[in-house]
Amino acid sequence: MKPITGIVITLNEQQRIAACIDSLQRVCSEIIVVDSLSQDDTVRIAEGKGARVLLQEYLGDGPQKAHGVPHAANDWILSLDADERLEEDAVAAIQALTLDDPALAYRFNRRNFCANHWIRAAGFYPDRVVRLYNRTTSGYLPKKGHASVHAPRVQDTGAHIRHFTYDGLSHWIQRIDQLSSRDAWAMKERGVTPSAWRPALHAASATLRKLILKGGILQGADGLTVAITTAFHAYMKYAKLNELYENDSHRDDE
């Protein structure tokens, strides 16, 4: 196996960053943390675990995840979020790779958890993500929200990343508030215009997709929860986009 650099982006992740770095160190010879100016002990903890920390005000999801890549000592990059861990099968799969083909990137199945409950309903599993790639041919697209890796070819490992998505239902709602604000900002940055109808239309579309197309209607409470929260997220990000434009208009009138 060729040497790998692990890259993590953080903002106020003092509760999670140590375990994330521990997970990456099982397969990586170098860890880089790109921190969005955390106000807690994230940076101190990361440096104490041996990671190199780069301070960078948040640029958006894709640009932030790409920021550490030019600073890496290795061409092979493994990207995790601070709330993710490699499961045993992922460690074994990575260790078994020769990494001889730089045009090939590797995809993992992600298990999403709400507290100790693994949520599989309505498309939450398998949540396939490309996370191991060679920077000479591949990388994160410059998308400010929900970015993904673009690569010439992708191979499924069948192995798992564990994603501690939410600490509980209250945290799930808090994250929707945070992420919908980020998504609204990202949409405005790329020129998406406001619309009175988009919040409701996207919420209705999300409900249909999760309940019918993803089978959530047949998957009990988890299916219903995923459908409702996805619709709420969709509604709020477009409603917040409208709010951003309204605030700009109000400032212009002052």
Side-chain angles (χ1 to χ4, degrees):
M1 183 181 77
K2 289 183 170 61
I4 300 170
T5 294
I7 297 182
V8 189
I9 65 171
T10 56
L11 174 63
N12 298 329
E13 293 285 1
Q14 65 178 13
Q15 302 299 325
R16 292 173 166 171
I17 188 58
C20 180
I21 291 172
D22 286 343
S23 177
L24 284 169
Q25 285 175 333
R26 299 184 67 184
V27 294
C28 296
S29 62
E30 175 189 48
I31 310 295
I32 294 175
V33 170
V34 181
D35 184 76
S36 303
L37 311 183
S38 291
Q39 301 301 306
D40 63 3
D41 282 338
T42 298
V43 170
R44 180 187 63 81
I45 294 168
E47 290 178 337
K49 293 297 253 179
R52 179 151 54 106
V53 177
L54 306 176
L55 299 179
Q56 173 59 55
E57 188 175 358
Y58 188 63
L59 302 168
D61 192 48
Q64 195 76 3
K65 288 180 175 178
H67 180 75
V69 173
H71 301 272
N74 306 307
D75 285 337
W76 283 97
I77 306 296
L78 177 59
S79 176
L80 283 190
D81 292 337
D83 57 359
E84 294 176 337
R85 315 284 180 264
L86 299 173
E87 294 198 6
E88 291 297 328
D89 63 347
V91 172
I94 293 169
Q95 290 174 339
L97 295 173
T98 60
L99 300 180
D100 288 331
D101 185 353
L104 193 59
Y106 296 90
R107 184 160 45 209
F108 299 83
N109 296 335
R110 190 163 56 171
R111 301 187 208 261
N112 296 294
F113 281 77
C114 181
N116 294 317
H117 182 56
W118 175 21
I119 300 176
R120 286 166 276 188
F124 261 48
Y125 181 83
D127 180 14
R128 295 188 176 94
V129 288
V130 176
R131 291 303 179 78
L132 178 60
Y133 63 94
N134 191 294
R135 67 179 175 184
T136 65
T137 65
S138 312
Y140 275 95
L141 296 171
K143 185 179 177 183
K144 293 182 182 292
H146 304 290
S148 58
V149 173
H150 176 74
R153 300 198 316 278
V154 174
Q155 178 176 307
D156 279 305
T157 64
H160 293 84
I161 292 172
R162 180 165 296 209
H163 185 200
F164 295 99
T165 322
Y166 310 113
D167 296 335
L169 292 173
S170 295
H171 183 230
W172 196 333
I173 299 302
Q174 292 169 13
R175 288 291 288 161
I176 289 173
D177 185 33
Q178 295 165 356
L179 293 174
S180 60
S181 295
R182 183 200 70 180
D183 293 343
W185 168 80
M187 288 191 294
K188 187 171 184 292
E189 285 287 301
R190 68 174 188 265
V192 178
T193 56
S195 166
W197 292 101
R198 277 203 194 107
L201 289 174
H202 281 270
S205 174
T207 303
L208 177 65
R209 185 174 68 254
K210 291 297 184 180
L211 282 182
I212 307 302
L213 300 181
K214 296 293 185 179
I217 196 169
L218 304 174
Q219 295 170 326
D222 282 354
L224 186 60
T225 299
V226 170
I228 290 171
T229 53
T230 303
F232 180 52
H233 186 169
Y235 184 92
M236 291 306 299
K237 71 180 182 181
Y238 283 97
K240 288 180 178 183
L241 174 66
N242 292 345
E243 184 179 59
L244 289 174
Y245 279 99
E246 289 171 4
N247 291 341
D248 285 350
S249 176
H250 179 71
R251 281 193 292 268
D252 291 341
D253 291 340
E254 290 180 349

PDB file of all heavy atoms in Angstrom, residues 133-153:
ATOM      1  N   TYR A 133      -8.769   8.857  -2.938  1.00  0.00           N
ATOM      2  CA  TYR A 133      -8.494   9.223  -4.327  1.00  0.00           C
ATOM      3  C   TYR A 133      -7.060   9.728  -4.470  1.00  0.00           C
ATOM      4  O   TYR A 133      -6.396  10.057  -3.475  1.00  0.00           O
ATOM      5  CB  TYR A 133      -9.473  10.306  -4.801  1.00  0.00           C
ATOM      6  CG  TYR A 133      -9.366  11.618  -4.044  1.00  0.00           C
ATOM      7  CD1 TYR A 133      -8.566  12.655  -4.515  1.00  0.00           C
ATOM      8  CD2 TYR A 133     -10.073  11.821  -2.863  1.00  0.00           C
ATOM      9  CE1 TYR A 133      -8.463  13.858  -3.823  1.00  0.00           C
ATOM     10  CE2 TYR A 133      -9.975  13.011  -2.164  1.00  0.00           C
ATOM     11  CZ  TYR A 133      -9.170  14.025  -2.651  1.00  0.00           C
ATOM     12  OH  TYR A 133      -9.062  15.208  -1.961  1.00  0.00           O
ATOM     13  N   ASN A 134      -6.593   9.772  -5.709  1.00  0.00           N
ATOM     14  CA  ASN A 134      -5.262  10.279  -6.004  1.00  0.00           C
ATOM     15  C   ASN A 134      -5.379  11.700  -6.532  1.00  0.00           C
ATOM     16  O   ASN A 134      -6.102  11.960  -7.503  1.00  0.00           O
ATOM     17  CB  ASN A 134      -4.574   9.386  -7.039  1.00  0.00           C
ATOM     18  CG  ASN A 134      -3.100   9.713  -7.193  1.00  0.00           C
ATOM     19  OD1 ASN A 134      -2.730  10.785  -7.644  1.00  0.00           O
ATOM     20  ND2 ASN A 134      -2.243   8.759  -6.812  1.00  0.00           N
ATOM     21  N   ARG A 135      -4.690  12.624  -5.894  1.00  0.00           N
ATOM     22  CA  ARG A 135      -4.858  14.042  -6.228  1.00  0.00           C
ATOM     23  C   ARG A 135      -4.347  14.406  -7.622  1.00  0.00           C
ATOM     24  O   ARG A 135      -4.675  15.478  -8.136  1.00  0.00           O
ATOM     25  CB  ARG A 135      -4.144  14.910  -5.191  1.00  0.00           C
ATOM     26  CG  ARG A 135      -2.626  14.793  -5.190  1.00  0.00           C
ATOM     27  CD  ARG A 135      -2.010  15.707  -4.153  1.00  0.00           C
ATOM     28  NE  ARG A 135      -0.558  15.517  -4.075  1.00  0.00           N
ATOM     29  CZ  ARG A 135       0.219  16.148  -3.189  1.00  0.00           C
ATOM     30  NH1 ARG A 135      -0.314  16.997  -2.332  1.00  0.00           N
ATOM     31  NH2 ARG A 135       1.520  15.911  -3.184  1.00  0.00           N
ATOM     32  N   THR A 136      -3.554  13.535  -8.246  1.00  0.00           N
ATOM     33  CA  THR A 136      -3.044  13.849  -9.585  1.00  0.00           C
ATOM     34  C   THR A 136      -4.113  13.704 -10.661  1.00  0.00           C
ATOM     35  O   THR A 136      -3.963  14.245 -11.764  1.00  0.00           O
ATOM     36  CB  THR A 136      -1.840  12.959  -9.945  1.00  0.00           C
ATOM     37  OG1 THR A 136      -2.266  11.594 -10.025  1.00  0.00           O
ATOM     38  CG2 THR A 136      -0.730  13.097  -8.915  1.00  0.00           C
ATOM     39  N   THR A 137      -5.186  12.981 -10.358  1.00  0.00           N
ATOM     40  CA  THR A 137      -6.245  12.764 -11.359  1.00  0.00           C
ATOM     41  C   THR A 137      -7.630  13.140 -10.849  1.00  0.00           C
ATOM     42  O   THR A 137      -8.555  13.312 -11.654  1.00  0.00           O
ATOM     43  CB  THR A 137      -6.312  11.287 -11.775  1.00  0.00           C
ATOM     44  OG1 THR A 137      -6.714  10.493 -10.640  1.00  0.00           O
ATOM     45  CG2 THR A 137      -4.975  10.794 -12.291  1.00  0.00           C
ATOM     46  N   SER A 138      -7.797  13.258  -9.542  1.00  0.00           N
ATOM     47  CA  SER A 138      -9.131  13.354  -8.951  1.00  0.00           C
ATOM     48  C   SER A 138      -9.155  14.405  -7.861  1.00  0.00           C
ATOM     49  O   SER A 138      -8.105  14.866  -7.382  1.00  0.00           O
ATOM     50  CB  SER A 138      -9.538  11.998  -8.356  1.00  0.00           C
ATOM     51  OG  SER A 138      -9.302  10.944  -9.273  1.00  0.00           O
ATOM     52  N   GLY A 139     -10.369  14.772  -7.431  1.00  0.00           N
ATOM     53  CA  GLY A 139     -10.479  15.730  -6.339  1.00  0.00           C
ATOM     54  C   GLY A 139     -11.906  16.192  -6.150  1.00  0.00           C
ATOM     55  O   GLY A 139     -12.810  15.869  -6.940  1.00  0.00           O
ATOM     56  N   TYR A 140     -12.114  16.957  -5.086  1.00  0.00           N
ATOM     57  CA  TYR A 140     -13.441  17.492  -4.793  1.00  0.00           C
ATOM     58  C   TYR A 140     -13.809  18.571  -5.788  1.00  0.00           C
ATOM     59  O   TYR A 140     -13.009  19.464  -6.090  1.00  0.00           O
ATOM     60  CB  TYR A 140     -13.492  18.051  -3.369  1.00  0.00           C
ATOM     61  CG  TYR A 140     -13.795  16.986  -2.346  1.00  0.00           C
ATOM     62  CD1 TYR A 140     -12.773  16.336  -1.665  1.00  0.00           C
ATOM     63  CD2 TYR A 140     -15.109  16.615  -2.074  1.00  0.00           C
ATOM     64  CE1 TYR A 140     -13.052  15.344  -0.736  1.00  0.00           C
ATOM     65  CE2 TYR A 140     -15.396  15.622  -1.152  1.00  0.00           C
ATOM     66  CZ  TYR A 140     -14.369  14.995  -0.491  1.00  0.00           C
ATOM     67  OH  TYR A 140     -14.652  14.010   0.412  1.00  0.00           O
ATOM     68  N   LEU A 141     -15.032  18.492  -6.292  1.00  0.00           N
ATOM     69  CA  LEU A 141     -15.539  19.538  -7.158  1.00  0.00           C
ATOM     70  C   LEU A 141     -15.729  20.813  -6.341  1.00  0.00           C
ATOM     71  O   LEU A 141     -16.052  20.750  -5.149  1.00  0.00           O
ATOM     72  CB  LEU A 141     -16.868  19.109  -7.782  1.00  0.00           C
ATOM     73  CG  LEU A 141     -16.792  17.904  -8.726  1.00  0.00           C
ATOM     74  CD1 LEU A 141     -18.198  17.436  -9.107  1.00  0.00           C
ATOM     75  CD2 LEU A 141     -15.992  18.250  -9.974  1.00  0.00           C
ATOM     76  N   PRO A 142     -15.565  21.995  -6.951  1.00  0.00           N
ATOM     77  CA  PRO A 142     -15.645  23.256  -6.204  1.00  0.00           C
ATOM     78  C   PRO A 142     -17.080  23.676  -5.900  1.00  0.00           C
ATOM     79  O   PRO A 142     -17.506  24.801  -6.198  1.00  0.00           O
ATOM     80  CB  PRO A 142     -14.945  24.251  -7.140  1.00  0.00           C
ATOM     81  CG  PRO A 142     -15.198  23.707  -8.502  1.00  0.00           C
ATOM     82  CD  PRO A 142     -15.173  22.206  -8.353  1.00  0.00           C
ATOM     83  N   LYS A 143     -17.821  22.773  -5.322  1.00  0.00           N
ATOM     84  CA  LYS A 143     -19.212  23.026  -4.972  1.00  0.00           C
ATOM     85  C   LYS A 143     -19.278  23.406  -3.503  1.00  0.00           C
ATOM     86  O   LYS A 143     -18.703  22.719  -2.663  1.00  0.00           O
ATOM     87  CB  LYS A 143     -20.041  21.757  -5.245  1.00  0.00           C
ATOM     88  CG  LYS A 143     -21.528  21.917  -5.041  1.00  0.00           C
ATOM     89  CD  LYS A 143     -22.251  20.613  -5.365  1.00  0.00           C
ATOM     90  CE  LYS A 143     -23.743  20.731  -5.093  1.00  0.00           C
ATOM     91  NZ  LYS A 143     -24.459  19.460  -5.326  1.00  0.00           N
ATOM     92  N   LYS A 144     -19.974  24.479  -3.197  1.00  0.00           N
ATOM     93  CA  LYS A 144     -19.946  24.999  -1.835  1.00  0.00           C
ATOM     94  C   LYS A 144     -20.822  24.206  -0.869  1.00  0.00           C
ATOM     95  O   LYS A 144     -20.646  24.298   0.343  1.00  0.00           O
ATOM     96  CB  LYS A 144     -20.349  26.474  -1.836  1.00  0.00           C
ATOM     97  CG  LYS A 144     -19.326  27.363  -2.534  1.00  0.00           C
ATOM     98  CD  LYS A 144     -19.716  28.820  -2.469  1.00  0.00           C
ATOM     99  CE  LYS A 144     -18.720  29.687  -3.217  1.00  0.00           C
ATOM    100  NZ  LYS A 144     -17.401  29.738  -2.576  1.00  0.00           N
ATOM    101  N   GLY A 145     -21.756  23.436  -1.370  1.00  0.00           N
ATOM    102  CA  GLY A 145     -22.580  22.603  -0.507  1.00  0.00           C
ATOM    103  C   GLY A 145     -22.618  21.169  -1.000  1.00  0.00           C
ATOM    104  O   GLY A 145     -22.763  20.920  -2.197  1.00  0.00           O
ATOM    105  N   HIS A 146     -22.474  20.199  -0.089  1.00  0.00           N
ATOM    106  CA  HIS A 146     -22.580  18.770  -0.416  1.00  0.00           C
ATOM    107  C   HIS A 146     -21.681  18.388  -1.594  1.00  0.00           C
ATOM    108  O   HIS A 146     -22.128  17.830  -2.599  1.00  0.00           O
ATOM    109  CB  HIS A 146     -24.029  18.394  -0.714  1.00  0.00           C
ATOM    110  CG  HIS A 146     -24.982  18.732   0.384  1.00  0.00           C
ATOM    111  ND1 HIS A 146     -24.990  18.063   1.586  1.00  0.00           N
ATOM    112  CD2 HIS A 146     -25.940  19.686   0.485  1.00  0.00           C
ATOM    113  CE1 HIS A 146     -25.922  18.575   2.373  1.00  0.00           C
ATOM    114  NE2 HIS A 146     -26.503  19.568   1.730  1.00  0.00           N
ATOM    115  N   ALA A 147     -20.415  18.692  -1.485  1.00  0.00           N
ATOM    116  CA  ALA A 147     -19.465  18.414  -2.563  1.00  0.00           C
ATOM    117  C   ALA A 147     -19.139  16.930  -2.626  1.00  0.00           C
ATOM    118  O   ALA A 147     -19.286  16.191  -1.649  1.00  0.00           O
ATOM    119  CB  ALA A 147     -18.185  19.218  -2.358  1.00  0.00           C
ATOM    120  N   SER A 148     -18.670  16.499  -3.796  1.00  0.00           N
ATOM    121  CA  SER A 148     -18.279  15.107  -3.998  1.00  0.00           C
ATOM    122  C   SER A 148     -16.997  15.048  -4.809  1.00  0.00           C
ATOM    123  O   SER A 148     -16.607  16.021  -5.457  1.00  0.00           O
ATOM    124  CB  SER A 148     -19.393  14.337  -4.720  1.00  0.00           C
ATOM    125  OG  SER A 148     -19.677  14.949  -5.968  1.00  0.00           O
ATOM    126  N   VAL A 149     -16.345  13.890  -4.753  1.00  0.00           N
ATOM    127  CA  VAL A 149     -15.084  13.689  -5.470  1.00  0.00           C
ATOM    128  C   VAL A 149     -15.370  13.306  -6.916  1.00  0.00           C
ATOM    129  O   VAL A 149     -16.189  12.419  -7.189  1.00  0.00           O
ATOM    130  CB  VAL A 149     -14.248  12.585  -4.791  1.00  0.00           C
ATOM    131  CG1 VAL A 149     -13.024  12.248  -5.641  1.00  0.00           C
ATOM    132  CG2 VAL A 149     -13.824  13.022  -3.392  1.00  0.00           C
ATOM    133  N   HIS A 150     -14.690  13.970  -7.827  1.00  0.00           N
ATOM    134  CA  HIS A 150     -14.747  13.598  -9.246  1.00  0.00           C
ATOM    135  C   HIS A 150     -13.484  12.816  -9.583  1.00  0.00           C
ATOM    136  O   HIS A 150     -12.369  13.251  -9.288  1.00  0.00           O
ATOM    137  CB  HIS A 150     -14.840  14.843 -10.128  1.00  0.00           C
ATOM    138  CG  HIS A 150     -14.807  14.524 -11.591  1.00  0.00           C
ATOM    139  ND1 HIS A 150     -15.888  13.963 -12.257  1.00  0.00           N
ATOM    140  CD2 HIS A 150     -13.827  14.670 -12.523  1.00  0.00           C
ATOM    141  CE1 HIS A 150     -15.575  13.789 -13.531  1.00  0.00           C
ATOM    142  NE2 HIS A 150     -14.330  14.201 -13.714  1.00  0.00           N
ATOM    143  N   ALA A 151     -13.646  11.644 -10.205  1.00  0.00           N
ATOM    144  CA  ALA A 151     -12.512  10.790 -10.553  1.00  0.00           C
ATOM    145  C   ALA A 151     -12.777  10.125 -11.892  1.00  0.00           C
ATOM    146  O   ALA A 151     -13.935   9.900 -12.267  1.00  0.00           O
ATOM    147  CB  ALA A 151     -12.304   9.722  -9.479  1.00  0.00           C
ATOM    148  N   PRO A 152     -11.713   9.770 -12.639  1.00  0.00           N
ATOM    149  CA  PRO A 152     -11.901   9.079 -13.923  1.00  0.00           C
ATOM    150  C   PRO A 152     -12.655   7.760 -13.784  1.00  0.00           C
ATOM    151  O   PRO A 152     -13.507   7.432 -14.599  1.00  0.00           O
ATOM    152  CB  PRO A 152     -10.471   8.860 -14.423  1.00  0.00           C
ATOM    153  CG  PRO A 152      -9.663   9.913 -13.745  1.00  0.00           C
ATOM    154  CD  PRO A 152     -10.291  10.105 -12.397  1.00  0.00           C
ATOM    155  N   ARG A 153     -12.325   7.000 -12.740  1.00  0.00           N
ATOM    156  CA  ARG A 153     -12.998   5.720 -12.499  1.00  0.00           C
ATOM    157  C   ARG A 153     -13.161   5.529 -10.991  1.00  0.00           C
ATOM    158  O   ARG A 153     -12.323   5.996 -10.208  1.00  0.00           O
ATOM    159  CB  ARG A 153     -12.200   4.544 -13.076  1.00  0.00           C
ATOM    160  CG  ARG A 153     -11.970   4.622 -14.563  1.00  0.00           C
ATOM    161  CD  ARG A 153     -11.566   3.270 -15.164  1.00  0.00           C
ATOM    162  NE  ARG A 153     -10.571   2.563 -14.372  1.00  0.00           N
ATOM    163  CZ  ARG A 153      -9.262   2.804 -14.423  1.00  0.00           C
ATOM    164  NH1 ARG A 153      -8.795   3.778 -15.186  1.00  0.00           N
ATOM    165  NH2 ARG A 153      -8.409   2.100 -13.712  1.00  0.00           N
TER     166      ARG A 153
END
